[in-house]
Amino acid sequence: MTPILDDAAARHLEALATDQRGHVSVVAPGGYGKTTLLHHLAAVLGAAVHTGPFDQVTDDVLVVDDAHLLDDADLAQLRDAAARTRLVVAARPWPRPAALAELLDLAQEQLIPAPFTKEQVRACLPAGRRTDALAEFVHTETGGVPGFVDRLARTLGPDKPGTKAEVPVAALAEFRPELARLDNDVLRFMLAADAGVGLHLDLLVDLLDRDAAAVGEIVEAARSTGLVGTAGALLPIARRAIRALVPVERRAWMRQRLAELQLARGGQVLALVRPLLGTGIGGAAAATAFEAAAAEALPVDPALSARLYEAAVTAGRPPLQVAALRAEALALAGDLDGALRLADEVITTESAARRRHAAGVAAAALAHRGQLFRSAQLYRWSGTEEGKQFASLGLLGIGDLADAREVRGQASSDGPPTSLSSALTLMSNGLHESVAGTPTTALSMMVRASGLLEPVGRGVLLPDSPAALGALLALHYGELSTASSLVDRAVAAGTGGAPLATRHQLLRTWITMVRGNLTAAAEQLTALRGAHLEPRDWLFAVAIELGVARRAGDTNTLGRAWLQAGEALLRHPMDLFTILPLGELMVAAARLREEARLSAHLDQARTLLKGLGNPPLWATPLWWGGLHAAVIADEVDVAEEHVEAMERAAAKDEQFGMVAAAGRCWVELMAGKVDPDAVEDASRGLHAAGFTWDAARLAGRAATRTSDRKAMVRLLDCARLLQGKPVAARTVPDEPRSSIPEVTLSERELQVAELVVSGMTYKDVGDRLFISAKTVEHHVARMRQRLGASSRSELLSQLRTLVGSPGAHG
């Protein structure tokens, strides 16, 4: 067989063949093609490969393979022969006894075969399969070691389009003789290398029970096989062979022993122990290893951590001994049912370990389910400093300000100011500030708390996150950019694990909705449908679905979503942190004439807010939702009450002036009054804060209420600009007011407009509104005349602007 050589090696080999002087050595690990190279060189030199004895050789060239396997007597004969003939000797770099070292030192030329390049690997592949992808695969698996390349190339199956290349079983089977010939210590080192030990010499000394010098010899012996690279790592194909051919119990024992040694050193064991899952390995040492690996996995992979704790129990650890920790892992992985079952078992068993830890786990799970009172009780019972901070949050959430302050005052600041403790303190202080202090200070505290928690929050079980609470405050306060930044960073950091991942995503979707990007909001909500939603998340999801449907004028979806809203409200008690969705539900209820379904929850919300002193920051969504519900129901007095409340808040904090000004415009519209300057200013204020849909809707609705043609055109253009739509060039005639037709649209006409722009036929609109298709056509004709539209497409464009994009009423 002709060796595959690069240009430099080929020229070197040719020079050695033509130069009859000097001895030659070929030194490389197993699999590097020494034998192929030696036979080729022997053929060129016209010599045979000798196997001994060597004392009677009279050839001009003596070619010897595998010199590392010869005994001292044979090596002495070769050394004597070197005085009368030319030697060409091949050997592995280990073992190298003194006699072999002396023999190899005689060589004037040394050949050191190198691994194949990718191009050389490609040349070894079967004809028709010499692709870049397959060459890359074979080179990666074999490290370019020629003998292993040949094994893999010969055993590759036929090409199957669309399938990923795999190492055949037949290629791995060819490693069986080599593994069988390995010295026991060398095999143990390779098993350790498979576990990822590498060249951790201190660990290897203890593992192999040899001194450092002996360990060095073992490593060199392993390298000489070609199965191990210079850094002590197995080639990928060698690792596959060991895992396929070495009994699993031997590999498991090695990993368990390494884990014991690592634990004794205080080292990490997750990488060692993870492959033991499912092997059935047991005993105290295995249980300890599984438990340590579970603790290590918790911050990065809670689901894996839970499986490792379960394996510790299977290996013999008493279930209650790790139940609290396993409950925490399950909770962080999103399995709140499993976490609550285990935590309750621990809490109710006086002899169980970590009962207070289990109480904290149960408290967090209950908070996600809206059970803030029970959650606060458990946090208080846990007695930890974190528990006191979380209990304070829960008590504020249910409106118990006095108890919340008392518990917060009991929290100690004696411990070290870690990122976690500092973040929790800021979160608690920020929530209290949002109730009794200034909104900007509260929001600042939440932002700082969220930033502190980002590096460490992935593995911390939280009842809520500062990012989520901060986003709520920012949404209430009209700071959408801040809200968006908080949830985006929390999603990227994985703050709070799986229980809070959905909450952060829902808040992101809420922001998308109020910005007017209804299609994106609907897509984001659809992406979450496969996830299990806890009651708090479900309430937000239903409110988003209602909000998107209402803004889009999709009455069918609005009706379907409302059926879910009733159950969602029953599953989640009213608390401070669900004021935002309640405000959205108020508008939907008014639109569907279902106000009675919300009356009890509204009473609870108002009582809760009253107990907290009616903080404007938390009450604003209720005022805003109540205003629009009153607009739909044409209840001017109720609308006026909500606007007055917003104006009182604006007197203390000008940021609330944005919604107050918009609210005042809505009340004026109810009375048939349109101040174009005030409406445009209020609309632009809402838009600047990020409330694109509300801004455009206000301007568009005002355009339907004015009888001033110039004002109508101006407000329509304002609405379109706020929606990011182009404004068509218009010429508004300068004529006496009396000659301008009135453009005010009636409530019925607005209802017809919403359904028409949603794509319904006149017959479908008539069926929905219990009027004839002819009457619908009459309404459309009147709207076209009043709006001065020259075509149906222009009419539809103007109607979309008037009722929202793509349209909503209420």
Side-chain angles (χ1 to χ4, degrees):
M1 178 179 178
T2 302
I4 298 175
L5 304 171
D6 59 32
D7 291 342
R11 286 194 298 270
H12 191 188
L13 189 62
E14 183 180 353
L16 291 176
T18 56
D19 183 359
Q20 300 300 312
R21 298 167 300 168
H23 305 303
V24 179
S25 67
V26 183
V27 180
Y32 275 69
K34 296 185 302 299
T35 298
T36 299
L37 185 61
L38 200 69
H39 280 264
H40 176 74
L41 189 56
V44 171
L45 295 172
V49 178
H50 285 266
T51 58
F54 308 109
D55 54 340
Q56 302 298 321
V57 174
T58 59
D59 297 355
D60 292 336
V61 180
L62 177 56
V63 182
V64 179
D65 197 7
D66 291 332
H68 58 280
L69 300 178
L70 300 177
D71 59 23
D72 286 350
D74 286 335
L75 291 171
Q77 289 177 4
L78 282 175
R79 183 174 175 81
D80 292 340
R84 61 180 184 271
T85 189
R86 186 184 188 194
L87 293 181
V88 179
V89 179
R92 288 189 181 186
W94 189 98
R96 184 171 288 202
L100 177 60
E102 291 176 3
L103 178 67
L104 294 177
D105 285 344
L106 297 175
Q108 285 83 22
E109 293 285 348
Q110 185 178 54
L111 285 176
I112 303 178
F116 281 170
T117 64
K118 291 178 186 176
E119 284 305 314
Q120 290 172 311
V121 168
R122 184 202 296 268
C124 295
L125 295 176
R129 298 201 64 186
R130 292 169 183 168
T131 64
D132 289 343
L134 191 58
E136 175 72 29
F137 168 74
V138 173
H139 187 270
T140 299
E141 284 290 328
T142 63
V145 175
F148 305 157
V149 170
D150 177 64
R151 288 180 189 178
L152 186 49
R154 281 189 291 99
T155 56
L156 283 170
D159 190 17
K160 295 180 181 178
T163 61
K164 187 178 180 181
E166 295 181 354
V167 177
V169 174
L172 301 179
E174 292 194 24
F175 285 89
R176 190 181 299 277
E178 287 171 75
L179 296 178
R181 288 194 300 267
L182 290 177
D183 175 82
N184 185 55
D185 281 342
V186 173
L187 178 58
R188 291 173 67 195
F189 167 74
M190 288 189 179
L191 293 176
D194 175 47
V197 170
L199 296 180
H200 192 322
L201 295 181
D202 289 346
L203 192 58
L204 290 171
V205 164
D206 288 341
L207 176 69
L208 302 175
D209 195 23
R210 299 288 189 272
D211 60 26
V215 167
E217 289 289 312
I218 293 168
V219 173
E220 287 302 317
R223 284 182 178 142
S224 74
T225 65
L227 302 171
V228 177
T230 56
L234 289 167
L235 295 180
I237 197 169
R239 180 179 293 108
R240 295 179 188 275
I242 284 175
R243 292 179 180 179
L245 302 174
V246 176
V248 64
E249 61 271 16
R250 185 164 187 181
R251 290 184 286 117
W253 178 89
M254 175 59 68
R255 287 180 177 271
Q256 181 178 330
R257 177 60 182 148
L258 284 169
E260 292 174 15
L261 294 172
Q262 277 288 78
L263 287 174
R265 288 170 164 75
Q268 296 182 332
V269 297
L270 178 58
L272 293 170
V273 174
R274 182 174 184 171
L276 298 180
L277 283 170
T279 62
I281 190 171
T288 299
F290 279 128
E291 188 174 349
E296 192 179 327
L298 184 66
V300 293
D301 191 342
L304 173 61
S305 177
R307 290 174 58 205
L308 288 163
Y309 278 123
E310 184 179 4
V313 172
T314 302
R317 182 72 77 236
L320 279 177
Q321 189 169 329
V322 296
L325 300 172
R326 186 179 167 198
E328 181 181 19
L330 288 171
L332 278 169
D335 183 2
L336 297 188
D337 286 340
L340 280 169
R341 281 195 298 270
L342 284 174
D344 282 350
E345 185 178 355
V346 175
I347 294 168
T348 55
T349 305
E350 292 188 6
S351 60
R354 301 183 180 89
R355 291 178 71 206
R356 296 189 180 276
H357 187 93
V361 174
L366 289 171
H368 286 279
R369 297 193 162 172
Q371 305 293 327
L372 292 186
F373 176 70
R374 174 68 175 147
S375 172
Q377 284 183 316
L378 282 168
Y379 272 131
R380 294 179 80 169
W381 184 81
S382 73
T384 65
E385 298 307 314
E386 292 176 6
K388 293 171 186 175
Q389 300 283 17
F390 290 146
S392 177
L393 294 178
L395 291 168
L396 266 185
I398 60 175
D400 192 343
L401 183 57
D403 268 7
R405 285 174 172 167
E406 179 185 347
V407 174
R408 177 171 166 241
Q410 293 170 355
S412 171
S413 58
D414 294 339
T418 64
S419 296
L420 177 60
S421 65
S422 299
L424 299 186
T425 299
L426 272 172
M427 180 167 67
S428 176
N429 291 345
L431 192 62
H432 280 266
E433 184 72 15
S434 74
V435 169
T438 59
T440 52
T441 303
L443 191 53
S444 173
M445 288 179 173
M446 288 297 183
V447 170
R448 284 183 285 146
S450 183
L452 280 171
L453 201 57
E454 283 173 11
V456 297
R458 182 181 291 272
V460 179
L461 184 60
L462 302 166
D464 212 338
S465 72
L469 293 176
L472 283 177
L473 295 181
L475 281 163
H476 287 213
Y477 196 49
E479 291 282 358
L480 260 66
S481 295
T482 300
S484 183
S485 174
L486 281 168
V487 293
D488 285 349
R489 291 174 66 96
V491 168
T495 302
L500 281 168
T502 301
R503 178 155 172 76
H504 293 147
Q505 291 283 9
L506 284 168
L507 286 167
R508 174 189 275 177
T509 304
W510 192 289
I511 294 165
T512 303
M513 175 183 72
V514 297
R515 280 178 166 162
N517 195 343
L518 304 184
T519 301
E523 290 172 352
Q524 290 171 14
L525 189 60
T526 300
L528 292 171
R529 293 209 184 279
H532 172 71
L533 297 180
E534 296 299 335
R536 178 174 63 186
D537 293 335
W538 188 28
L539 182 59
F540 269 82
V542 169
I544 291 171
E545 187 169 14
L546 287 168
V548 170
R550 177 175 68 85
R551 288 165 173 80
D554 185 350
T555 52
N556 287 330
T557 300
L558 193 70
R560 288 197 302 269
W562 182 255
L563 296 177
Q564 295 185 62
E567 186 177 353
L569 285 166
L570 290 174
R571 287 180 177 272
H572 194 290
M574 192 61 237
D575 62 40
L576 188 65
F577 313 126
T578 50
I579 295 290
L580 189 66
L582 183 62
E584 187 61 52
L585 265 60
M586 288 175 70
V587 188
R591 177 72 185 276
L592 297 168
R593 301 295 185 261
E594 293 277 2
E595 295 93 338
R597 295 284 299 274
L598 277 185
S599 58
H601 295 86
L602 288 171
D603 288 343
Q604 293 171 18
R606 290 170 182 139
T607 300
L608 187 155
L609 289 169
K610 184 178 180 181
L612 297 174
N614 285 316
L617 186 55
W618 289 102
T620 296
L622 213 58
W623 296 334
W624 184 253
L627 164 68
H628 288 283
V631 170
I632 294 170
D634 199 25
E635 297 174 337
V636 178
D637 291 343
V638 176
E640 181 66 37
E641 289 177 9
H642 290 302
V643 171
E644 287 177 355
M646 288 187 276
E647 288 174 339
R648 287 193 295 272
K652 297 178 180 178
D653 189 318
E654 63 181 16
Q655 179 70 7
F656 292 118
M658 172 191 65
V659 291
R664 178 52 61 191
C665 288
W666 275 108
V667 171
E668 294 294 328
L669 290 180
M670 293 177 75
K673 300 176 184 178
V674 179
D675 181 341
D677 291 334
V679 170
E680 188 167 352
D681 287 346
S683 297
R684 293 188 182 280
L686 287 172
H687 183 268
F691 295 89
T692 301
W693 186 87
D694 287 286
R697 180 171 172 272
L698 174 58
R701 188 54 57 89
T704 70
R705 295 302 193 203
T706 182
S707 58
D708 183 334
R709 173 71 65 178
K710 287 185 178 179
M712 183 269 288
V713 171
R714 171 185 168 189
L715 291 170
L716 276 176
D717 286 348
C718 175
R720 294 181 68 81
L721 283 170
L722 295 178
Q723 290 173 317
K725 297 179 179 179
V727 177
R730 310 175 194 268
T731 300
V732 181
D734 188 8
E735 52 186 324
R737 179 180 176 83
S738 59
S739 67
I740 301 175
E742 183 180 339
V743 297
T744 303
L745 301 185
S746 68
E747 193 70 23
R748 174 62 85 185
E749 286 170 338
L750 287 170
Q751 292 174 343
V752 170
E754 290 171 357
L755 298 176
V756 168
V757 299
S758 71
M760 287 188 177
T761 64
Y762 289 169
K763 183 179 184 305
D764 291 338
V765 174
D767 291 343
R768 178 67 57 82
L769 299 178
F770 304 103
I771 57 178
S772 69
K774 194 69 176 174
T775 301
V776 174
E777 185 179 0
H778 173 71
H779 282 307
V780 173
R782 279 179 58 83
M783 288 188 286
R784 178 173 174 177
Q785 179 183 13
R786 291 182 179 183
L787 294 173
S790 60
S791 64
R792 176 176 171 80
S793 62
E794 184 181 347
L795 171 65
L796 290 175
S797 177
Q798 291 191 31
L799 291 179
R800 288 190 185 97
T801 299
L802 293 174
V803 298
S805 179
H809 170 52

